[in-house]
Structures are given as structure tokens and as C-alpha cells.
Amino acid sequence: MSLSAVAFIHRFGSTLNAHLHFHCVFIDGVFDAATTGGIIFTVATGVDANAIAKVQAQVRRRLLRVFVRRGLLPRDDARAMGPWAHGGGFAVDGSVRIEAADRAGRERLLRYCARPPFALDRLRELDPERLLDEGTKPGPGGGGPLLLTPLELIDRLAALVPPPRIHRHRYFGVLAPNSPWRAAVTAPALAATTTPPAPNPEPAAEPAHRRAARYAWALLLARIDAVFSLRCSLCGAEMRIIAFITDGPTVRDILDHLGEPTAPPRIAPARGPPRWEATGAAHDPSADPLLQSAPAFEFDQRLSW
């Protein structure tokens, strides 16, 4: 007999503060091997507020013992925290329940549990010295949006980086990777996803910050190749990007049509820096064909990303 659960380890709160907690998604029942072969599922009963309170008390006792055993908490402090009111600093909420046939609701729940510390579309730059995180939840003081400087944002994010080689998502019971029942339990879900996909809708308009990144990409190419790729070679006017193609076969067909090479250039061997500057000799471009010439236009190093 085995249960099944997925645990999401969160190190952050709604205001980018350090707040270690867990989001656990359980299948409300147990799996067992049938006498005739296969697996049977038994729905759990009696999961009420009293049962959840017992789980909370048991988790509190076990964690305090672990903290004492590992030297993270003095024994006297752990004994004093035992009878504290309001769960002694521990809280368990089990009020969210998704029906088995509600795949959309289950996906929303899992997306919420697996979310990152903050969403980029909620982060807005007021000026070079102020960033606004337009959070949806009120903070400890009752305020909603969070005003930070760029360095404060980096400081908060650095504190939330998990330790190396530590998984934030854990699978237990029959959902564990090495469970012999995993393939049989997840087979119905795989069969449900084999329905023909719906036609792709029309692509949404590209956000403004993504369009700006395309032009910044063109400036980087100009920095490397000393040629501004968005300047027309015939009239000298600035061109407008109408498509950004990343599909390999399509790019190859376009290059073949234009008569451009499709194979990458030969990698030049490693070399040291040019020696003509160190020796005081005159600049001779033919002596160093790999030396890049100075760009024909000014490149603004203060480009805001």
C-alpha cells in the first residue's frame, strides 16, 4: 500500500522575502496491488480539520527533534516551543481540493505550486534607480507593490537562490522515479493526452521589450562585424524588422536563394594579441588579416537592457 504526492519547496514569500515553506499535492487515497494483478486505488476518508491538526502536531514534534539532533536548536528552546499556541509557528492548510476530472483546475494548482519567486511582467522600471514589483498579495505591513532599487532586488534574489544540487520538486510514493507502480499509475494520464491537438491560434503581438531586444541584437552584431545590419546597403536608410527566423531549414533555404554560404566558416587557430602595437611598428592591416578595423559609427555603451 502506497500513497502519492509531489512536494514543491519554496524559499520565498510574496514580497521576495526569505520564507521557507512547502506546497504538497497529494492524491487523496492509496494504491495497492490487486490479487488478480494490476493496481487498485482506495479513496481516503476522514480527511477533516481534526486529521490535519494531528498531522501538523506530528510534523512539529518531528522537526523540532531533527533540529535538536543536528544542533540547529537548543534542547531547552525546542521544549519551550512545544506548547506554544497557534501551532507553535507551524501551519498546515488543506482546504484546496481538485476533482479528479478537473484537469484545468489541477494544472492551475500545479502551476501555482511550481511558480518562480516573481513574474517578469509584474516588474516595472520607474527610473534607473527604482524598480516596482506590482505584487498581487499585500505585504506584512498591508502594502501591495514593492519598491526596490536594482541592488536591493539583486540582494533579495541572491538570498533566494537554492543550494546547489538540491531539487525543489520532490516526488513521493507511486510517483517517485524508482517506484515499480509509477508506469501503471501514470498510464491513464498519458492516454488522455493523446487526443489530437487543437489548431494553433494566431500568434499574439510581440511585447515592446522583446522588440527592443531585437534591435539591441542588431547593435551587438554591429559591434562585432562593424556593419549595422539594419542599414540598407542600397539607399542607406534604416530597415525595419518584420520577422526573426530561427528555423534551421528555412534559414538555409534563404541563404541558398541569396547565394550566401550555408556552412559555418573554418575555425581559426588560437593566436595571441597583435604585436605591431607593442613593437611600435606602423599599422599594416595586411600583416594581421584577423584584426578588426574600428567601426564606422559610434556605439553607445550606455545601452539600457
Side-chain angles (χ1 to χ4, degrees):
M1 185 176 295
S2 177
L3 53 80
S4 56
V6 183
F8 302 86
I9 304 175
H10 283 204
R11 298 170 54 87
F12 56 88
S14 58
T15 57
L16 297 181
N17 57 311
H19 175 50
L20 181 61
H21 60 285
F22 296 81
H23 289 274
C24 301
V25 180
F26 288 85
I27 299 179
D28 56 348
V30 293
F31 294 89
D32 197 2
T35 56
T36 58
I39 300 175
I40 58 175
F41 176 73
T42 304
V43 179
T45 58
V47 183
D48 53 10
N50 293 329
I52 294 177
K54 293 180 180 179
V55 172
Q56 174 180 329
Q58 186 177 16
V59 169
R60 179 178 60 179
R61 289 195 301 268
R62 290 185 177 182
L63 281 180
L64 291 178
R65 287 200 299 262
V66 170
F67 289 164
V68 172
R69 186 167 60 249
R70 296 186 179 183
L72 302 175
L73 186 68
R75 187 177 301 274
D76 294 339
D77 292 346
R79 190 178 296 109
M81 292 176 62
W84 278 3
H86 306 292
F90 293 82
V92 177
D93 178 77
S95 58
V96 178
R97 186 176 185 272
I98 305 297
E99 296 295 335
D102 188 3
R103 296 181 61 88
R106 187 161 57 250
E107 180 178 356
R108 286 194 304 270
L109 177 63
L110 293 175
R111 284 181 177 272
Y112 174 79
C113 294
R115 72 190 188 279
F118 73 101
L120 284 177
D121 54 359
R122 284 172 23 196
L123 189 64
R124 187 159 55 92
E125 181 182 5
L126 301 179
D127 52 55
E129 296 297 330
R130 294 186 303 167
L131 300 173
L132 184 65
D133 182 19
E134 299 175 333
T136 56
K137 290 185 177 180
L146 183 64
L147 189 63
L148 299 170
T149 65
L151 290 180
E152 289 175 342
L153 175 63
I154 294 176
D155 181 68
R156 294 203 180 196
L157 293 180
L160 301 179
V161 176
R165 296 176 295 277
I166 299 296
H167 295 287
R168 295 193 308 111
H169 304 163
R170 308 289 183 89
Y171 298 85
F172 300 91
V174 298
L175 298 181
N178 59 347
S179 172
W181 294 349
R182 178 186 174 98
V185 170
T186 58
L190 296 176
T193 58
T194 57
T195 56
N200 294 330
E202 293 295 329
E206 190 177 30
H209 69 277
R210 295 296 299 171
R211 292 197 300 270
R214 307 299 188 196
Y215 284 89
W217 162 82
L219 292 177
L220 290 177
L221 287 181
R223 183 67 173 172
I224 297 173
D225 301 330
V227 175
F228 190 54
S229 57
L230 295 182
R231 181 175 297 166
C232 179
S233 58
L234 300 179
C235 65
E238 183 176 354
M239 296 185 293
R240 180 173 60 88
I241 298 177
I242 59 175
F244 193 82
I245 302 174
T246 58
D247 182 62
T250 305
V251 173
R252 190 176 298 107
D253 293 341
I254 295 176
L255 293 177
D256 287 336
H257 177 74
L258 298 176
E260 298 291 340
T262 57
R266 181 180 62 87
I267 300 178
R271 66 184 184 92
R275 293 181 173 272
W276 59 270
E277 291 183 348
T279 59
H283 180 200
D284 184 7
S286 61
D288 189 4
L290 297 180
L291 182 63
Q292 295 185 8
S293 59
F297 53 89
E298 182 180 357
F299 184 81
D300 188 0
Q301 297 281 358
R302 302 169 299 172
L303 180 65
S304 177
W305 295 95

